Amino acid sequence: MNDPLWNDLTAIFREVLDDDALTLGETTSAKDVAGWDSITHVLLVVAVEKKFRVKFTAGEIQKLQNVGELAALIRRRLAKPA
Amino acid sequence: MELDGLNFLVFLGCVAGLQATLPARARAALLLGASLVFYALVSLPWLVLLLGLCLVNFAAASHLGRAGRPGGRTLVFTTTILLDLLVLIGFKYLPGIEAWLPATPTGGIWRIAVPLGLSYFTFQMVACVTDAYRETWQPEGGFRDFALFGLFFPQITSGPIPRAGSLLPQLRAGGAPTAPDRLAGLRMIALGFFKKFVVASRLSEYVTDIFNQPPAGNFVPSLLAAGFNVMQLYADFSGYVDIAIGSARFLGIRLDPNFDHPFSATSVSGFWRRWHMTLSFWLRDYLFMPLVIRLRNGGKPGIAAATIFTFAICGIWHGATWPFLLFGVAQGVAMALELLTKSWRTRMIRGLPERLVDRLGNVWVLVFFMLSEIMFRSTTLPQALTLYRHLFHLRLSGGIGGLLGAQPYSMALDGLAIAAWLGVDYLYDRTTDRATPWFVALCATLILLLGCVGSANFIYAAF
């Protein structure tokens, strides 16, 4: 997928999850990735917020179901900061 | 009525018989009626209390789940959660102030009992209202279904803690058990009774003796008691939950699993994803995540602090004593250390065979849990410290009696019970529907030959 946002997300996931071969899809969720537990979830959110210079609310973070929803949330926030 | 009694089996059989004869539309009402009778036999006033709480939580969840974002959401959510927690805390921790209360009119002291299953019930209610507030679950159906969800008799006393999204639709349908459901349920119930009466009850005698008075001059009895303590707790709790899940399955209702081979975990955090899973996941979703999200800018130290706090609460939930608090804090600290040292450990083990790393992880989990469970089992801090002192005072004296700390005959029966557990566990995974009667007969025979019926209470009923 040649999308800068998607490429950045993949790089973040690979670094946090320590898996250079990890590939992400719209529906990829914690169930599909070894090591993606609640702690890793928070580390991913922190890394995403830092990279894209955005801030999510607690409710938004807890509602995220998969990578596609995270990407959509980043796009919304970049288009219209909270 | 306790799940591990013959009268419960008769009760379950009657409910299943009626369920088979009633039309589908009447089955949910039957399950609710059975749950009300089951709890009324425990205590009628407590049943009224739980029904009242069900009504309040149902009204709150319905309000929060209504389309159009009605006003006062945060107020309704906060008030309901506070009420749930106040009732739980009141019943659970007020007994600690019994000694401070004035004498009763007859000159005695007040006794405040905790309604059976109140903790699990409260967790269910808090989850429903929170999910409705977060808009991740939409309440469906009426109060009858919600009350059945709150009071469903196989799980109310000991969990597993169900989520409305998976259990409520099943209960609304009233259960339609197939023959494989009935047989799978029977196998689980038989396994649960076996674990409870052959393993947990038998080992409890030795553990209780040694914890009450660890023999001086020899560390082996304390070590054995610490090991047996873990086995007893696992057999007791997982056995009771097997009976609960098996009973529900017998009625065509699938409850979430609560244990998944916990000692195959290679880390303490992995262990808690396999042990008392429904409580762990509840703590994760409704305490840890809201907390850690707010502390996330603190990086790994912030996450470590949230982990320790969550498990300290988990410890205190078991009881307001120092040993329970320290047990919880120890779990949190172990997980925090695993998090903070992860990169360093990854570098250290690079190049080592994966199987070796996994086995080392298994040993770490087992030793850590065995040592921390001493705290869990002890009623006072001095009792735990005495056992630790005997455990680490590596002396050997007193011949075979000193080594075992009990009569060799009793110890041989304990060993036999553990060996039988391994065998029954092996067969359970391989028993087909056709072979189910044989498996049930084997468990019954072993209970008759090796069981200690009525000698130990269900440990988790106290929580």
Side-chain angles (χ1 to χ4, degrees):
Chain A
M1 199 180 287
N2 198 15
D3 174 351
L5 185 142
W6 206 259
N7 293 340
D8 286 341
L9 265 186
T10 304
I12 289 170
F13 272 71
R14 285 180 177 176
E15 190 183 335
V16 173
L17 287 156
D18 198 19
D19 180 355
D20 293 338
L22 182 66
T23 53
L24 300 176
E26 288 276 343
T27 56
T28 305
S29 69
K31 287 198 297 285
D32 311 313
V33 182
W36 185 351
D37 56 18
S38 52
I39 289 175
T40 314
H41 187 73
V42 177
L43 293 174
L44 285 167
V45 167
V46 171
V48 166
E49 286 181 327
K50 197 172 165 189
K51 174 75 187 173
F52 294 99
R53 295 169 187 266
V54 292
K55 209 78 189 157
F56 305 131
T57 65
E60 286 171 337
I61 296 169
Q62 286 189 275
K63 271 180 153 181
L64 292 173
Q65 296 290 319
N66 54 41
V67 178
E69 290 185 10
L70 174 62
L73 180 62
I74 297 169
R75 281 188 220 285
R76 279 203 305 276
R77 193 49 47 84
L78 289 175
K80 187 183 170 190
Chain B
M1 192 188 305
E2 290 287 325
L3 295 196
D4 55 0
L6 280 177
N7 51 357
F8 173 75
L9 290 183
V10 173
F11 180 78
L12 178 67
C14 292
V15 176
L18 283 169
Q19 186 193 36
T21 55
L22 286 173
R25 65 179 186 284
R27 287 180 186 162
L30 166 74
L31 293 182
L32 176 62
S35 299
L36 294 174
V37 169
F38 177 87
Y39 208 90
L41 290 173
V42 176
S43 166
L44 200 54
W46 289 349
L47 174 63
V48 173
L49 171 76
L50 295 199
L51 275 173
L53 286 171
C54 266
L55 192 59
V56 171
N57 282 278
F58 174 70
S62 301
H63 175 80
L64 294 168
R66 211 165 290 150
R69 294 179 171 269
R73 285 176 57 81
T74 305
L75 181 67
V76 169
F77 168 69
T78 314
T79 313
T80 313
I81 297 293
L82 275 178
L83 174 74
D84 287 335
L85 294 180
L86 273 176
V87 172
L88 177 65
I89 291 168
F91 273 104
K92 234 174 138 63
Y93 302 110
L94 275 184
I97 65 161
E98 281 166 350
W100 301 87
L101 295 175
T104 61
T106 55
I109 56 168
W110 296 96
R111 286 276 170 232
I112 304 167
V114 186
L116 190 67
L118 180 65
S119 289
Y120 300 102
F121 173 86
T122 306
F123 289 145
Q124 273 177 259
M125 295 296 122
V126 167
C128 281
V129 174
T130 309
D131 288 349
Y133 179 69
R134 289 176 181 166
E135 298 175 350
T136 53
W137 171 71
Q138 187 94 25
E140 290 171 37
F143 178 65
R144 183 201 69 180
D145 299 336
F146 192 81
L148 173 56
F149 166 72
L151 297 165
F152 185 45
F153 72 92
Q155 47 87 187
I156 187 155
T157 56
S158 63
I161 303 161
R163 298 292 173 95
S166 63
L167 183 58
L168 243 169
Q170 295 187 66
L171 292 175
R172 193 178 306 126
T178 59
D181 281 331
R182 296 272 204 221
L183 293 168
L186 277 179
R187 286 196 296 275
M188 287 198 90
I189 293 170
L191 178 69
F193 270 81
F194 166 83
K195 284 187 195 171
K196 171 80 186 123
F197 290 116
V198 175
V199 185
S201 297
R202 179 155 291 288
L203 295 185
S204 88
E205 292 178 4
Y206 184 81
V207 176
T208 305
D209 285 352
I210 300 294
F211 267 70
N212 286 342
Q213 202 163 16
N218 202 316
F219 77 98
V220 175
S222 300
L223 183 64
L224 279 174
F228 281 9
N229 179 37
V230 172
M231 289 187 218
Q232 185 208 341
L233 185 70
Y234 182 33
D236 183 271
F237 191 22
S238 70
Y240 210 85
V241 170
D242 286 340
I243 298 171
I245 296 178
S247 303
R249 183 81 186 270
F250 194 72
L251 298 170
I253 306 291
R254 287 179 186 247
L255 299 177
D256 292 331
N258 218 25
F259 293 90
D260 178 18
H261 305 91
F263 294 101
S264 66
T266 56
S267 64
V268 175
S269 41
F271 175 86
W272 280 99
R273 285 193 290 274
R274 293 166 172 271
W275 174 279
H276 205 344
M277 294 153 70
T278 55
L279 174 67
S280 294
F281 298 157
W282 189 95
L283 287 170
R284 177 195 65 193
D285 293 344
Y286 303 105
L287 180 59
F288 176 72
M289 286 306 282
L291 186 63
V292 79
I293 284 169
R294 281 160 185 84
L295 295 176
R296 67 188 185 278
N297 290 332
K300 285 186 180 175
I303 297 174
T307 308
I308 295 170
F309 179 79
T310 301
F311 274 86
I313 296 291
C314 175
I316 286 285
W317 167 69
H318 288 93
T321 68
W322 283 109
F324 279 135
L325 174 64
L326 291 175
F327 166 79
V329 169
Q331 309 304 313
V333 168
M335 278 183 259
L337 286 176
E338 286 179 350
L339 170 71
L340 296 172
T341 62
K342 192 177 175 186
S343 311
W344 175 76
R345 284 184 294 118
T346 308
R347 281 198 307 275
M348 292 295 286
I349 61 171
R350 199 160 282 161
L352 289 177
E354 199 174 325
R355 281 175 66 92
L356 175 66
V357 173
D358 285 350
R359 292 299 86 77
L360 287 172
N362 296 148
V363 172
W364 150 241
V365 168
L366 187 60
V367 171
F368 172 78
F369 198 62
M370 193 174 82
L371 292 176
S372 59
E373 274 293 322
I374 291 174
M375 208 56 92
F376 186 90
R377 175 66 181 238
S378 302
T379 46
T380 63
L381 205 50
Q383 186 187 18
L385 294 176
T386 305
L387 204 88
Y388 283 124
R389 204 167 51 243
H390 283 81
L391 193 58
F392 292 110
H393 203 144
L394 300 178
R395 285 189 300 187
L396 283 167
S397 61
I400 189 78
L403 276 177
L404 301 179
Q407 300 91 341
Y409 173 71
S410 164
M411 185 56 74
L413 284 178
D414 291 348
L416 213 54
I418 294 167
W421 186 14
L422 294 173
V424 167
D425 239 15
Y426 178 86
L427 289 175
Y428 174 77
D429 289 336
R430 289 159 183 79
T431 303
T432 59
D433 286 349
R434 279 171 66 95
T436 297
W438 292 105
F439 180 78
V440 173
L442 173 72
C443 289
T445 308
L446 287 168
I447 290 168
L448 286 174
L449 290 176
L450 287 170
C452 291
V453 179
S455 65
N457 292 322
F458 170 53
I459 296 171
Y460 259 78
F463 308 133

